[in-house]
Amino acid sequence: MNSSVCDDCNEAGFTPHIKLVLTVATVFIPGLLFHCVARALLAKDIKKNPNLVKKLLGALCVVDVLGICSSTAYHVVNVFIPEPSYSACVAIGFFNGFLSQASNALTTIMAVERCFAFSVTYWYIVNIHSWKLKVPIPFIVICLIVVNMLPAFGFGLVMDPEKPKLCKMLPSVPISPSSRLSVYTIVYASVGLMFVAVNIVCNIVVIASLFRMVHKRAPPKQNSILAEYKMTIMLLLLSVNFLISWIPFYVSVFLNYFGKRIPKTVSFCVRVLAGVSYSTDPLIYIAARKSYRDRIRTRILTICGNDISSGRTVSVIT
């Protein structure tokens, strides 16, 4: 849950302590647990086959963990620092905004990578290790930094104008479009909806290519091709999670900019859904890959004292 979720919590009557407990219970603890497991599984795969997709997945794990910590930090500050400084609010707002969009950007980059792999296969194979595929990444990072620094330069909210002691970057009530404080809102929403549009277009291309593959020939049986096929399915599921979690959020921010008041309950649910996406990403890594599920099952059985090789249960009590 990012800082804007807290605004809706305030309006819903939650105390700062309840908000902190909810964030820790629903985002922080499960998110870190799932990401630790996913990162351990990914680390082995990256060592065996350090391709671009797996490196991006590893980066997404790191960004999501930082996003979870940043979201939790907001609530910690709100509980233990009742009067946060202006600079503290700028820092918290920046990291919440930047990390949420960085997570979205990585998911979209992976969708673009799959789109190139299926639509311009020869060019992709020739240039897969070329700088041409890596240049957009630092460019996107710089753009996101600039976008999320806008409030620090007076082009967005840093503190709630109605509650000056509360950090806030995305308003819960409409701000006049003519005000410079509304610039960040429209830019943030526009960037997010751009990621959504690119993600949808790329995944339509990938899905169409997969259907053509299935109709032209039998499903791939070669191990390397089959691994790519399974990776593509997993990335499609990751994109679906991104679209379900973030489209309602970006649309609500966009509508708010144009003066459309979103009901408090709807706004709260939409923003919680976006925040929880930090924790659902690693579940998709694990659930979509049979090899990952098998590793976890093996580890659990080993911990429980089950001898997998012989099919016997070994007593762990001496």
Side-chain angles (χ1 to χ4, degrees):
M1 284 184 282
N2 55 36
S3 60
S4 59
V5 176
C6 308
D7 308 329
D8 295 308
C9 289
N10 289 330
E11 294 172 355
F14 292 112
T15 66
H17 291 82
I18 292 177
K19 290 182 289 183
L20 177 60
V21 171
L22 285 173
T23 302
V24 170
T26 61
V27 177
F28 186 76
I29 293 176
L32 290 186
L33 176 62
F34 298 151
H35 275 292
C36 285
V37 175
R39 181 61 187 173
L41 296 171
L42 275 171
K44 292 184 178 179
D45 276 356
I46 291 174
K47 287 182 180 179
K48 292 180 182 177
N49 182 22
N51 60 31
L52 180 60
V53 173
K54 290 178 181 177
K55 290 179 180 178
L56 290 172
L57 282 171
L60 182 60
C61 271
V62 174
V63 169
D64 280 351
V65 168
L66 292 175
I68 290 170
C69 294
S70 178
S71 300
T72 306
Y74 176 91
H75 296 277
V76 172
V77 168
N78 198 36
V79 169
F80 297 105
I81 307 177
E83 297 184 16
S85 66
Y86 181 87
S87 58
C89 287
V90 168
I92 291 173
F94 169 79
F95 283 111
N96 272 293
F98 172 77
L99 292 170
S100 65
Q101 291 198 320
S103 177
N104 298 166
L106 284 168
T107 305
T108 303
I109 290 171
M110 286 187 279
V112 172
E113 187 273 345
R114 289 290 87 185
C115 182
F116 283 168
F118 280 89
S119 60
V120 285
T121 307
Y122 178 76
W123 181 91
Y124 176 80
I125 293 173
V126 171
N127 294 281
I128 189 170
H129 298 296
S130 170
W131 59 270
K132 296 177 182 178
L133 289 178
K134 300 178 177 64
V135 166
I137 296 176
F139 175 75
I140 292 172
V141 171
I142 293 171
C143 289
L144 294 183
I145 290 174
V146 171
V147 167
N148 288 283
M149 282 299 294
L150 288 175
F153 294 99
F155 293 96
L157 292 177
V158 173
M159 290 183 159
D160 192 336
E162 298 177 357
K163 302 174 183 177
K165 297 178 182 179
L166 178 67
C167 300
K168 177 189 287 188
M169 294 185 78
L170 293 175
S172 53
V173 295
I175 297 178
S176 172
S178 61
S179 171
R180 63 186 296 182
L181 294 177
S182 67
V183 172
Y184 176 69
T185 302
I186 187 61
V187 174
Y188 180 90
S190 298
V191 171
L193 290 176
M194 181 189 68
F195 286 145
V196 167
V198 172
N199 205 298
I200 290 174
V201 171
C202 289
N203 281 298
I204 288 174
V205 173
V206 171
I207 292 171
S209 300
L210 288 175
F211 273 111
R212 285 198 298 271
M213 288 173 57
V214 171
H215 287 296
K216 285 184 177 180
R217 57 181 181 271
K221 295 182 180 180
Q222 187 177 344
N223 288 339
S224 59
I225 299 177
L226 185 60
E228 285 291 315
Y229 179 82
K230 290 180 178 179
M231 178 67 76
T232 301
I233 298 299
M234 187 266 285
L235 292 179
L236 285 173
L237 293 174
L238 199 63
S239 289
V240 169
N241 178 61
F242 158 64
L243 296 174
I244 292 175
S245 300
W246 287 96
I247 285 179
F249 175 75
Y250 286 126
V251 169
S252 68
V253 174
F254 201 79
L255 291 176
N256 186 55
Y257 172 80
F258 287 103
K260 304 294 184 182
R261 185 69 182 264
I262 309 297
K264 295 177 183 178
T265 304
V266 174
S267 182
F268 175 72
C269 293
V270 162
R271 295 171 191 243
V272 168
L273 180 64
V276 172
S277 67
Y278 285 133
S279 302
T280 54
D281 283 344
L283 285 178
I284 293 174
Y285 309 157
I286 298 168
R289 301 294 299 276
K290 185 177 183 300
S291 59
Y292 289 180
R293 298 196 304 271
D294 288 344
R295 286 187 217 172
I296 294 175
R297 176 177 173 273
T298 300
R299 174 62 63 183
I300 292 174
L301 291 175
T302 301
I303 293 173
C304 292
N306 191 17
D307 188 346
I308 299 172
S309 60
S310 63
R312 296 183 295 104
T313 300
V314 180
S315 175
V316 295
I317 303 176
T318 57

